[in-house]
C-alpha cells in the first residue's frame, strides 16, 4: 500500500536537473479571452473572498441566458437559502443552491438504483457520517452534481467558494482520480477532471479587485489551477474599477511615496484611487496578463446584488465579451 | 447570556476590551480587512503596555506583507523595535510580536502529538486520506488555529493574544469548525468502523458497507478503515483537548470581535453571527466596521469646486455606508470601532499605526 500511495508528485517529475520554473508566458497555455471562455458549457468563477465573485457569476449567467442559452447558475451551499433549492428566476435562467448531503444521496441512488436496499444505504447512520466526514467526499459530490447537471443546460456558471476552499473542490476530486483505483467514484472523478481540464468544455474565470492582495492572490490561484488543469488556463477579470481620470501632477504616481495612507477629502481620495489602481494593476501587467474590466457600479445606481448583476451583464455586452 | 448581561450591554472602547480580555478572536468574511484589524489591535495593546502577539493562519501571508516583512515564522517575531521607530515620540511599555503557524502540516502533527506513538505516525504517513484531510477538510485550519492559540497562551509569554481567524466565506465557519472536527471523533460511529465484532452485529450495516465498497473500490475502504482506526486510537486525548478548548473560549479570558465592511448586506450575517456566539456562550465584544469613507466628507480641508467622474460612485458608497450604519447598529449590536478606508495598501508598521490610532479617535467621537 505504502508504495502505491507514495508521493505521486515526485514520481511524476522528470529526472532532469532542477531548472527554474518557466515564466508564465512561455510554454504555458495562453490566457484565453473572456469572450471565448463564456462560450464554454461549464464556467467556474473563482477568486478571493469579497471580490464580488457572486455578483460576477450572476451577471455572466444572466447575460448568457439573455443570449438565448439555457443557463444554470450554481451556488455552493449558501447557508441563507434552502438546501438544494432549484428555482427558475428568469426566462432560460435557473438557480441551484447545491448541497453536498443531498447530492450524495442523489449520486448513490443513481449508481445503485432506487431500491429499498439503496434507501437503507442512504439512511444508514454510518453512511451519513461518512458522507460528511470521509475526507474529500463532500467536495467530490458537489463537483459531481455540477458535472451531472451540465448535460441538462447549455451553460452552467458556478460561484466557487473563496480561494482555498474553491481549490479544495478541484484538488479532492483530483485526489480521488489519482490516489485510488477501481469503483465508480474513482472513475467518475477521473472523468470529471478530464472535463474540467478540457478547454473545449470548461472555462475558469479568476476575479480580483484592483487592490494589491486580491491581485497577488489571483496569481497564486492561477498557479494552483494550472497545476491541476495544465492545458486549461483561466481568464482574468478585475472588478470595481473607478473611472479613469487625469490626476494632479503634485501627487506622486507611486503610492508608497505618499506621506500618509489617508486621503484628505473625496476628490483627493479619487485622485489617489486612480493612481493606486494603476499601480496595483501592474502586478498583472508585469506578467503580461490580459484581463477584462468591470467598472464600479455606484450603490446609488444599483444596491441589490440582482441590480448590480444587471448593470454588469450590460457591461459584458458593451465590453464586447458576449 | 448570563450574569454579566448588564456589563455586556454597555458599549466598550477597544482599549477597555483589550484591558479586560487576555485573548481576542477576530472573525469576519473574506476581504473585510480582518488581518489588518488584528495586527492593529495587537499594536494598540502594546501601546497600552501589554506584551501583545498577533497570530494568523493564512496561506497568503497577508500579515507579513502588511507588516512590511517577506515572511513570518512559527515562533513569535518581536516587532517592538519597528513599532518604537514608527512612533519615536511615544513611550511604548509593551511588546508587539507576530507569528504564523503553518496550517498545512498541522493536523498530521497534531494527531502525532496526541498519539505519541511511532505506529500512528507511520499510519498517517502512508494513508492518502490523511493528506486529503489535512489539506481540504474545511474545519481543520480553524481547529488548528485554536490549538495553536491555546499552546501560545500556555507559554505565558504574552498577556494579550489576538487571533486572526482563517479566511472563510462566512464568519460562522470558524465557530462551527471545532464541532465539525469533533464529530469526526464521535466514538460510537468510529467504533462501528473500527471494531470488527460490532460491524458484524448488524446485517444492515454489513450490506451498507458492501455497497460503499462497490462504489469506492477496495483501496478506498482499506484506507478509510485505517483512517478511522487512527482517529479512534487518539480519540480520548482529542476529546479531552476539545473540551479544554471550548472551556477556554467560553472563559472570561476570551472576547470575540467581528470585523465587517459598511454595507447593509452585512447586517443579516452580523446578527446571525452574534446569535450563534451567544448560543456557544462566547463573549461578543462588538463590531469593528472597517474601510469606512465617511471621514473624507467630514474633512476640514478647503472645499474644492473641482469634480470627478468618480464622485457619483463615491457619493453612492457614502449613502450606502449611512444605511449600513443604521442596519448594523439595530438590535443590540455594539460598534466598538470604525476604521477609515485608506488610500493605499498597508506595507509597514507606520501605516498600520494609522489604523491603530483610529481606535483611539473613534472612542473620542
Amino acid at each position: 500500500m505504502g508504495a502505491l500511495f507514495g508521493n505521486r508528485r515526485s514520481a511524476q517529475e522528470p529526472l532532469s536537473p532542477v531548472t527554474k520554473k518557466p515564466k508564465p508566458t512561455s510554454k504555458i497555455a495562453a490566457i484565453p479571452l473572456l469572450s471565448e471562455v463564456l462560450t464554454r458549457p461549464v464556467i467556474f468563477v473563482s477568486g478571493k473572498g469579497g471580490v464580488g465573485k457572486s455578483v460576477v457569476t450572476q451577471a455572466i449567467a444572466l447575460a448568457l441566458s439573455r443570449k438565448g442559452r439555457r443557463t444554470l447558475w450554481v451556488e455552493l451551499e449558501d447557508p441563507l437559502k434552502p438546501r438544494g433549492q432549484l428555482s427558475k428566476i428568469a426566462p432560460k435562467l435557473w438557480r441551484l443552491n447545491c448541497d453536498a448531503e443531498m447530492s450524495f444521496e442523489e449520486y448513490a441512488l443513481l449508481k445503485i438504483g432506487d431500491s429499498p436496499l439503496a434507501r437503507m444505504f442512504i439512511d444508514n447512520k454510518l453512511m451519513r457520517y461518512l458522507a460528511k466526514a470521509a475526507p474529500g467526499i463532500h467536495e467530490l459530490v458537489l463537483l459531481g452534481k455540477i458535472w451531472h447537471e451540465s448535460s441538462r443546460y447549455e451553460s452552467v456558471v458556478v460561484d466557487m467558494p473563496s480561494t482555498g476552499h474553491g481549490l479544495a473542490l478541484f484538488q479532492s476530486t483530483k485526489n480521488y482520480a489519482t490516489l485510488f483505483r477501481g469503483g465508480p467514484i474513482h472513475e467518475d472523478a477521473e472523468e470529471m477532471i478530464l472535463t474540467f481540464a478540457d478547454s473545449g468544455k470548461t472555462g475558469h474565470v479568476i476575479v480580483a479587485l484592483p487592490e494589491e492582495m486580491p491581485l497577488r492572490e489571483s496569481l497564486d490561484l492561477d498557479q494552483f489551477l494550472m497545476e491541476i488543469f495544465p492545458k486549461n488556463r483561466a481568464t482574468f477579470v478585475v472588478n470595481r474599477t473607478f473611472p479613469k481620470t487625469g490626476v494632479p501632477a503634485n501627487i506622486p504616481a507611486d503610492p508608497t511615496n505618499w506621506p500618509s495612507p489617508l486621503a484628505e477629502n473625496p476628490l483627493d481620495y479619487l485622485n489617489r484611487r486612480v493612481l493606486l489602481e494603476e499601480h496595483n494593476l501592474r502586478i498583472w501587467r508585469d506578467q503580461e496578463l490580459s484581463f477584462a474590466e468591470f467598472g464600479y457600479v455606484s450603490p446609488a445606481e444599483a444596491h441589490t446584488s440582482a441590480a448590480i448583476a444587471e448593470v454588469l451583464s450590460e457591461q459584458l455586452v458593451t465590453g464586447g465579451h458576449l | 447570556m448570563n450574569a454579566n448581561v448588564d456589563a455586556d450591554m454597555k458599549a466598550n472602547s477597544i482599549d477597555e476590551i483589550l484591558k479586560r480580555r487576555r485573548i481576542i478572536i477576530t472573525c469576519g468574511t473574506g476581504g473585510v480587512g480582518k488581518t489588518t484589524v488584528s495586527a492593529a489591535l495587537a499594536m494598540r495593546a502594546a501601546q497600552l503596555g501589554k506584551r501583545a502577539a498577533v497570530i494568523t493562519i493564512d496561506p497568503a501571508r497577508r500579515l507579513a506583507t502588511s507588516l512590511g516583512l517577506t515572511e513570518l515564522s512559527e515562533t513569535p517575531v518581536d516587532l517592538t523595535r519597528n513599532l518604537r521607530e514608527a512612533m519615536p515620540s511615544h513611550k511604548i511599555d509593551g511588546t508587539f510580536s507576530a507569528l504564523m503557524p503553518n496550517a498545512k502540516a498541522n493536523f498530521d502533527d497534531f494527531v502525532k502529538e496526541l498519539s505519541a506513538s511511532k505506529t500512528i505516525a507511520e499510519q498517517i504517513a502512508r494513508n492518502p486520506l490523511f493528506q486529503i484531510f489535512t489539506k481540504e477538510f474545511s474545519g481543520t485550519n480553524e481547529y488548528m488555529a485554536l490549538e495553536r492559540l491555546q499552546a501560545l497562551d500556555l507559554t505565558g509569554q504574552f498577556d494579550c493574544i489576538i487571533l486572526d481567524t482563517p479566511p472563510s466565506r462566512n464568519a460562522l465557519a470558524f465557530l462551527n469548525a471545532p464541532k465539525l472536527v469533533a464529530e469526526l471523533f464521535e466514538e460510537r460511529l468510529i467504533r462501528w468502523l473500527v471494531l470488527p465484532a460490532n460491524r458484524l452485529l448488524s446485517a444492515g450495516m454489513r450490506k451498507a458497507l458492501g455497497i460503499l465498497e462497490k462504489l469506492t473500490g477496495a483501496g478506498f475502504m482499506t484506507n478509510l478503515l485505517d483512517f478511522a482506526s487512527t482517529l479512534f486510537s487518539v480519540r480520548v486525548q482529542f476529546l479531552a483537548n476539545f473540551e479544554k478548548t471550548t472551556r477556554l473560549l467560553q472563559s472570561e479570558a476570551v472576547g470575540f470581535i467581528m470585523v465587517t465592511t459598511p454595507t447593509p448586506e452585512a447586517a443579516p450575517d452580523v446578527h446571525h453571527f452574534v446569535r450563534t456566539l451567544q448560543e456557544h456562550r462566547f463573549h461578543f465584544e462588538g463590531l469593528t466596521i472597517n474601510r469606512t469613507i465617511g471621514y473624507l466628507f467630514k474633512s476640514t480641508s478647503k472645499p474644492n469646486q473641482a469634480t470627478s467622474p468618480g464622485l457619483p460612485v463615491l457619493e453612492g458608497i457614502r449613502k450606502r455606508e449611512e444605511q449600513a450604519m443604521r442596519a448594523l447598529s439595530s438590535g443590540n449590536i455594539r460598534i466598538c470601532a470604525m476604521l477609515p478606508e485608506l488610500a493605499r495598501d498597508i506595507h509597514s508598521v507606520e501605516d498600520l499605526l494609522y489604523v491603530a490610532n483610529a481606535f483611539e479617535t473613534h472612542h473620542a467621537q
Side-chain angles (χ1 to χ4, degrees):
Chain A
M1 277 292 156
L4 188 60
F5 296 116
N7 189 338
R8 286 187 61 91
R9 186 171 301 161
S10 62
Q12 281 168 348
E13 266 164 19
L15 293 167
S16 56
V18 182
T19 48
K20 270 195 148 185
K21 268 194 179 174
K23 275 258 154 71
T25 42
S26 64
K27 253 178 111 177
I28 287 164
I31 295 170
L33 289 174
L34 180 62
S35 57
E36 200 259 304
V37 168
L38 296 187
T39 63
R40 302 181 191 170
V42 180
I43 301 162
F44 290 103
V45 182
S46 304
K48 180 185 177 319
V51 299
K53 267 187 313 287
S54 300
V55 78
V56 168
T57 308
Q58 191 177 354
I60 291 174
L62 190 64
L64 286 168
S65 70
R66 292 211 175 129
K67 283 274 159 181
R69 292 173 74 102
R70 193 180 143 82
T71 304
L72 181 68
W73 157 29
V74 180
E75 295 179 297
L76 299 176
E77 309 200 303
D78 182 342
L80 301 177
K81 297 200 179 90
R83 295 195 308 137
Q85 185 191 56
L86 174 70
S87 39
K88 185 169 185 178
I89 53 168
K92 296 224 171 207
L93 180 58
W94 285 261
R95 182 184 64 205
L96 172 68
N97 184 26
C98 201
D99 177 79
E101 211 176 317
M102 289 169 76
S103 302
F104 179 78
E105 282 183 31
E106 208 179 311
Y107 180 78
L109 292 181
L110 199 72
K111 288 293 161 181
I112 56 188
D114 195 347
S115 65
L117 180 69
R119 288 281 162 197
M120 183 216 75
F121 171 73
I122 287 164
D123 294 336
N124 185 292
K125 214 175 153 197
L126 177 65
M127 292 308 126
R128 302 197 82 89
Y129 165 75
L130 285 179
K132 225 175 7 182
I137 288 279
H138 183 100
E139 288 81 2
L140 186 74
V141 293
L142 283 175
L143 272 196
K145 173 72 175 169
I146 293 162
W147 179 58
H148 184 68
E149 288 299 319
S150 66
S151 62
R152 300 179 189 171
Y153 297 87
E154 287 167 282
S155 291
V156 176
V157 194
V158 187
D159 182 6
M160 292 293 272
S162 56
T163 310
H165 296 294
L167 280 172
L169 285 174
F170 292 130
Q171 194 59 56
S172 291
T173 309
K174 180 129 186 172
N175 285 338
Y176 274 88
T178 54
L179 293 176
F180 297 104
R181 290 278 162 264
I185 288 188
H186 160 76
E187 283 159 23
D188 287 342
E190 226 170 17
E191 196 66 37
M192 272 152 71
I193 288 296
L194 285 177
T195 306
F196 301 147
D198 184 343
S199 59
K201 294 176 179 159
T202 304
H204 298 275
V205 179
I206 295 178
V207 185
L209 295 178
E211 292 167 14
E212 188 188 351
M213 285 302 168
L215 290 171
R216 283 201 195 286
E217 283 182 35
S218 70
L219 296 181
D220 294 340
L221 179 58
D222 182 39
Q223 286 292 329
F224 286 127
L225 283 175
M226 274 196 286
E227 279 172 28
I228 307 174
F229 308 117
K231 289 184 179 149
N232 193 1
R233 187 90 188 262
T235 189
F236 290 76
V237 172
V238 61
N239 188 25
R240 278 190 225 150
T241 55
F242 272 79
K244 287 163 186 47
T245 56
V247 171
N250 63 344
I251 309 176
D254 183 347
T256 51
N257 292 331
W258 303 343
S260 151
L262 293 168
E264 284 180 14
N265 54 50
L267 210 62
D268 184 44
Y269 176 82
L270 288 167
N271 284 332
R272 289 174 193 275
R273 180 77 196 180
V274 170
L275 292 174
L276 182 74
E277 287 183 6
E278 260 326 290
H279 179 79
N280 286 338
L281 281 169
R282 286 212 320 245
I283 296 168
W284 279 5
R285 293 203 174 104
D286 286 352
Q287 309 280 321
E288 287 167 51
L289 215 149
S290 60
F291 53 90
E293 233 176 288
F294 280 128
Y296 208 132
V297 180
S298 169
E301 190 188 342
H303 62 273
T304 63
S305 60
I308 299 168
E310 189 78 40
V311 179
L312 294 186
S313 78
E314 279 160 28
Q315 287 190 21
L316 275 172
V317 176
T318 52
H321 304 297
L322 204 81
Chain B
M1 197 68 211
N2 38 37
N4 57 0
V5 162
D6 285 347
D8 272 358
M9 292 304 290
K10 203 176 75 198
N12 290 298
S13 73
I14 288 290
D15 287 3
E16 282 163 347
I17 296 165
L18 287 170
K19 281 176 195 155
R20 196 154 68 141
R21 308 284 187 206
R22 191 170 77 235
I23 295 168
I24 306 278
I25 299 178
T26 54
C27 295
T29 55
V32 296
K34 217 167 29 205
T35 303
T36 305
V37 172
S38 304
L41 279 170
M43 222 175 229
R44 183 75 198 149
Q47 290 177 27
L48 296 174
K50 300 264 187 186
R51 292 172 300 153
V54 53
I55 167 169
T56 185
I57 305 248
D58 177 10
R61 293 193 225 119
R62 257 179 287 244
L63 180 61
T65 310
S66 53
L67 289 168
L69 304 171
T70 47
E71 57 188 17
L72 284 165
S73 74
E74 298 251 353
T75 49
V77 179
D78 192 333
L79 296 161
T80 316
R81 223 186 66 193
N82 306 44
L83 184 59
R84 289 210 172 106
E85 280 166 9
M87 44 187 332
S89 55
H90 286 65
K91 190 170 167 287
I92 293 160
D93 296 324
T95 63
F96 170 54
S97 302
L99 67 156
M100 190 183 85
N102 172 11
K104 278 201 176 128
N106 273 335
F107 194 80
D108 296 16
D109 292 345
F110 169 61
V111 176
K112 283 178 203 160
E113 274 166 35
L114 280 177
S115 72
S117 114
K118 257 215 185 99
T119 344
I120 299 282
E122 281 160 12
Q123 270 173 18
I124 290 170
R126 76 162 184 256
N127 192 330
L129 286 176
F130 267 98
Q131 299 166 29
I132 302 178
F133 185 77
T134 299
K135 284 195 200 119
E136 276 116 42
F137 180 69
S138 39
T140 322
N141 277 358
E142 285 84 353
Y143 187 76
M144 291 316 301
L146 287 175
E147 283 297 319
R148 294 292 145 184
L149 169 72
Q150 206 169 0
L152 190 70
D153 186 38
L154 278 175
T155 65
Q157 270 180 280
F158 300 100
D159 44 28
C160 174
I161 303 175
I162 314 293
L163 175 67
D164 172 28
T165 59
S168 70
R169 176 168 74 181
N170 102 27
L172 287 172
F174 181 77
L175 298 180
N176 295 331
K179 212 177 125 242
L180 223 60
V181 178
E183 275 176 15
L184 263 187
F185 288 89
E186 209 199 308
E187 223 180 301
R188 262 178 314 160
L189 288 171
I190 295 189
R191 210 183 278 277
W192 281 111
L193 268 181
V194 179
L195 304 176
N198 277 345
R199 252 190 293 153
L200 291 173
L201 277 181
S202 143
M205 193 65 85
R206 229 178 23 243
K207 271 187 195 147
L209 283 172
I211 293 173
L212 187 68
E213 180 139 24
K214 220 186 283 171
L215 280 175
T216 58
F220 178 81
M221 282 304 290
T222 318
N223 281 293
L224 186 64
L225 293 178
D226 185 50
F227 179 76
S229 72
T230 310
L231 293 189
F232 187 71
S233 64
V234 296
R235 78 196 181 285
V236 177
Q237 294 94 315
F238 174 85
L239 292 171
N241 244 359
F242 175 67
E243 206 176 301
K244 217 165 67 193
T245 308
T246 310
R247 267 206 308 273
L248 174 68
L249 293 185
Q250 290 173 340
S251 75
E252 294 294 325
V254 181
F256 285 78
I257 285 180
M258 189 182 191
V259 185
T260 185
T261 44
T263 57
E265 303 86 78
D269 279 347
V270 169
H271 289 109
H272 192 185
F273 179 77
V274 174
R275 266 200 310 278
T276 312
L277 269 186
Q278 286 168 344
E279 280 162 23
H280 281 81
R281 297 157 150 267
F282 297 157
H283 303 282
F284 176 62
E285 294 295 340
L287 192 62
T288 290
I289 303 180
N290 194 24
R291 310 192 64 168
T292 60
I293 61 153
Y295 82 98
L296 294 171
F297 293 85
K298 284 178 198 145
S299 101
T300 49
S301 64
K302 60 180 188 305
N304 198 326
Q305 296 306 309
T307 184
S308 158
L311 218 47
V313 179
L314 206 61
E315 286 283 358
I317 297 173
R318 178 203 188 181
K319 285 215 182 72
R320 180 183 63 185
E321 189 170 305
E322 286 164 1
Q323 285 164 9
M325 295 311 296
R326 283 194 293 274
L328 288 168
S329 52
S330 71
N332 54 359
I333 305 294
R334 285 165 280 119
I335 296 170
C336 59
M338 275 177 69
L339 301 173
E341 159 88 341
L342 302 182
R344 70 171 176 222
D345 302 282
I346 294 179
H347 278 290
S348 62
V349 168
E350 284 87 346
D351 277 5
L352 263 177
L353 255 180
Y354 281 91
V355 183
N357 290 339
F359 286 135
E360 206 178 3
T361 336
H362 169 71
H363 187 50
Q365 278 168 1

